[in-house]
Amino acid sequence: MELDRYFTRIYFAVVIGGVIMYMMLTIGKDVWTDETYTFALINHGFADIWRLTAADVHPPLYYFLLKLFLQLFGYSLTAAKVFSIIPYGLLIAIGGFQLRKLFCAKTSVLFMILFLLFPFSMRYAVEVRMYSLAAFFVFMNALYAYRSWKKQKLSDWIIFAIFGAGAAYTHYYAMVSVGILYGLLFLHVFRSNRRLLKYWSLSVLLLLVMYLPWGKCFITQLIYKVNHEYWIEPINLEIVIDYVCRLFGSSGIFAYVVFSGGCYTAALVYILWKKDRKDILIAVSSLAVPVCTIGIGIAASVLIRPVFIIRYVVPAVPLLVFFMAYVVGRMEKKILAAVILTVSLVGGGSAFARNLYTEYEMRECTCMFEEEYDFVDAYYVNDDVSEHIPHVISYYRPMKKVYTVTDLSCDAELYPNIVGASDFCAQRNEHMILIVAVRGEIPKEFLDRYDLQYIGNVREECHTADAYLLTLK
């Protein structure tokens, strides 16, 4: 086949092109609250990272690896974004190589291109959080689940467990996806080759042993944090619809949601209609991982307590993309395959352009943190502003006091420069930046003591506030 002949060239072109594309998204300087938490945490030692994240709602592996990376390449936002790109680059490179060996060149190339252009996963390529790393571990775990079943080598079962442990140490919904993969593999093994049950059991045991050091922390988080301090809003039908739009959408274009969702529906109908047992087994199994991950998250949120938002399915998205790549690679109807690929190309290109524009646009919202305002003594955040904004300011200005009316004392160890407004004294702050709600009212005490100059706004994801330069009269 022609594709086999030129596979090496296409493979390297996609991998290198993909990395360059993601690198273009590192130009932005904006951060949101969870990213500021990442930086605040990795400024501590490894033992403190373990202790502090145990008091949060995530496992520690991502923070450990990021700290090691930044110790080598410097503590900067750009370096941290590059670290997030690496797992996606490895996912495309190793995934593409392995898929060619396990399936065919067409499936491999389609997966690499479709994942690179999948809008939902693209936005997490440079986010300073654990999602890209979790996606890498889950996809590698899935690949070795298939290898373990097909090749029946003990080494594959061991690697299967190692990637599963990596996922579980990175994000809890990645652990859910791995649990689903273990369950699916058990069903296939039990049904087709029960001799492999001993290897499956050994892999489970190895995974549990590797996870033992974190086991107590996990149970504590599960019992206390989720039941007492979790922040997620209750899930209803409107939110579920929003999840679908986010997962299949691109740049907020609703028509693309319809087309993209229609493509995945058409792919599922096609593979079931084809009635090839092997193809159905592989395609439906891969689709089951993200679908069941979402289903478990929503069910737990409805029956127990809200514990799921749509970005938690990012670790399972590569398997959603693989489902499409596998089905399209087996389509005899070229028109249908061409339509699906065209929709993916348009959506991916639009999402990339939108993300790139957003990275440039957000530069305007960080102007009051540039050298031009180094003379400012402190920042004051009014009570009508989201509590996320002080965290962003603390990241940009770690050496300046950030006064806030909202009680953030629980974050004192991670954000030591955020202090209560009761400690504020105008006489000690000749120049200050005041943050109030957009078009919000300026507190009278500042109007009496300071001259005001509007200088722009500050933004944290979906929260925006106005910024004023205050000079003592």
Side-chain angles (χ1 to χ4, degrees):
M1 292 178 64
E2 285 293 307
L3 189 58
D4 286 306
R5 204 164 139 206
Y6 296 105
F7 176 79
T8 302
R9 295 180 188 177
I10 296 171
Y11 172 82
F12 282 108
V14 174
V15 172
I16 294 171
V19 171
I20 292 173
M21 189 178 89
Y22 287 146
M23 287 294 291
M24 292 173 67
L25 298 176
T26 64
I27 59 170
K29 296 182 179 180
D30 64 297
V31 297
W32 70 294
T33 296
D34 284 13
E35 290 177 307
T36 70
Y37 178 87
T38 297
F39 276 102
L41 192 60
I42 62 172
N43 282 325
H44 292 75
F46 290 101
D48 283 335
I49 290 175
W50 181 283
R51 175 179 59 82
L52 289 168
T53 197
D56 190 47
V57 291
H58 292 299
L61 181 58
Y62 165 76
Y63 302 115
F64 285 170
L65 295 179
L66 176 61
K67 184 175 179 66
L68 288 171
F69 183 82
L70 296 186
Q71 283 181 333
L72 292 174
F73 298 100
Y75 284 73
S76 71
L77 180 59
T78 300
K81 288 184 175 185
V82 170
F83 179 77
S84 292
I85 291 173
I86 291 173
Y88 270 4
L90 291 174
L91 194 156
I92 293 171
I94 299 175
F97 178 75
Q98 286 285 341
L99 290 176
R100 189 197 183 190
K101 292 176 63 177
L102 294 172
F103 300 102
C104 64
K106 186 185 288 188
T107 299
S108 171
V109 171
L110 284 169
F111 170 77
M112 290 191 294
I113 294 174
L114 290 174
F115 182 77
L116 187 63
L117 296 175
F118 195 74
F120 181 70
S121 59
M122 187 187 297
R123 64 169 297 190
Y124 298 97
V126 295
E127 184 167 293
V128 189
R129 297 295 288 162
M130 68 285 296
Y131 299 108
S132 63
L133 181 64
F136 169 74
F137 281 131
V138 170
F139 190 65
M140 291 299 107
N141 181 257
L143 283 180
Y144 275 89
Y146 184 75
R147 283 178 58 103
S148 301
W149 177 48
K150 184 177 181 180
K151 297 181 179 295
Q152 302 179 24
K153 292 170 59 178
L154 178 60
S155 59
D156 286 338
W157 287 96
I158 293 173
I159 297 173
F160 173 49
I162 291 172
F163 280 124
Y169 269 107
T170 304
H171 196 278
Y172 290 135
Y173 275 93
M175 181 169 68
V176 170
S177 296
V178 165
I180 294 167
L181 282 163
Y182 266 93
L184 290 170
L185 186 56
F186 173 82
L187 292 175
H188 297 327
V189 167
F190 187 82
R191 197 165 159 268
S192 62
N193 190 352
R194 296 185 185 182
R195 289 190 307 107
L196 295 177
L197 283 175
K198 61 182 179 182
Y199 289 134
W200 183 90
S201 301
L202 177 63
S203 182
V204 170
L205 180 62
L206 179 59
L207 174 57
L208 292 174
V209 168
M210 288 188 286
Y211 205 64
L212 272 178
W214 186 252
K216 182 180 178 181
C217 298
F218 167 67
I219 293 171
T220 300
Q221 289 177 336
L222 187 66
I223 294 174
Y224 182 77
K225 295 292 288 188
V226 172
N227 281 313
H228 294 85
E229 298 182 12
Y230 225 58
W231 50 269
I232 297 174
E233 296 294 326
I235 291 180
N236 53 38
L237 181 59
E238 183 181 353
I239 289 176
V240 172
I241 293 173
D242 180 66
Y243 286 170
V244 173
C245 292
R246 288 176 181 269
L247 183 59
F248 292 107
S250 175
S251 304
I253 303 171
F254 182 73
Y256 184 81
V257 177
V258 176
F259 284 124
S260 182
C263 286
Y264 274 86
T265 303
L268 179 60
V269 171
Y270 177 87
I271 205 70
L272 295 175
W273 172 78
K274 191 179 176 186
K275 297 180 181 178
D276 183 303
R277 291 184 64 184
K278 180 185 175 184
D279 285 349
I280 291 174
L281 179 65
I282 293 171
V284 172
S285 294
S286 62
L287 182 62
V289 177
V291 169
C292 290
T293 300
I294 294 172
I296 290 171
I298 291 176
S301 297
V302 172
L303 298 175
I304 305 172
R305 185 181 179 86
V307 291
F308 180 77
I309 50 178
I310 194 60
R311 70 171 177 265
Y312 290 170
V313 80
V314 170
V317 163
L319 290 167
L320 181 66
V321 175
F322 170 76
F323 160 79
M324 181 62 80
Y326 186 83
V327 174
V328 172
R330 275 148 185 78
M331 280 184 175
E332 297 169 0
K333 303 212 177 263
K334 294 184 178 180
I335 293 179
L336 183 57
V339 168
I340 290 174
L341 292 175
T342 300
V343 169
S344 300
L345 181 64
V346 171
S350 173
F352 176 71
R354 176 66 178 174
N355 289 335
L356 195 61
Y357 172 77
T358 300
E359 293 295 330
Y360 275 108
E361 180 189 40
M362 288 298 292
R363 286 186 169 191
E364 298 176 5
C365 297
T366 61
C367 64
M368 69 283 304
F369 306 120
E370 302 292 343
E371 292 181 4
E372 179 184 357
Y373 292 99
D374 279 349
F375 65 88
V376 170
D377 300 308
Y379 292 77
Y380 190 103
V381 182
N382 201 29
D383 59 359
D384 57 2
V385 175
S386 166
E387 64 183 41
H388 294 178
I389 296 291
H391 295 146
V392 171
I393 299 173
S394 175
Y395 162 78
Y396 287 115
R397 290 298 196 183
M399 304 308 294
K400 303 285 187 180
K401 292 283 188 183
V402 181
Y403 296 100
T404 175
V405 178
T406 306
D407 182 16
L408 297 178
S409 57
C410 58
D411 296 331
E413 188 170 2
L414 288 170
Y415 303 95
N417 63 323
I418 297 180
V419 296
S422 58
D423 294 335
F424 175 75
C425 177
Q427 282 69 31
R428 293 200 302 265
N429 299 284
E430 184 177 350
H431 301 285
M432 186 178 69
I433 289 181
L434 171 67
I435 311 294
V436 298
V438 176
R439 294 183 293 277
E441 186 176 344
I442 308 297
K444 187 176 184 302
E445 60 265 30
F446 294 113
L447 292 173
D448 294 340
R449 297 180 180 181
Y450 290 94
D451 293 320
L452 277 71
Q453 176 191 349
Y454 177 76
I455 58 174
N457 59 49
V458 58
R459 189 183 306 173
E460 186 279 337
E461 203 180 30
C462 58
H463 304 106
T464 305
D466 286 335
Y468 292 86
L469 175 63
L470 275 59
T471 303
L472 197 64
K473 291 180 180 179

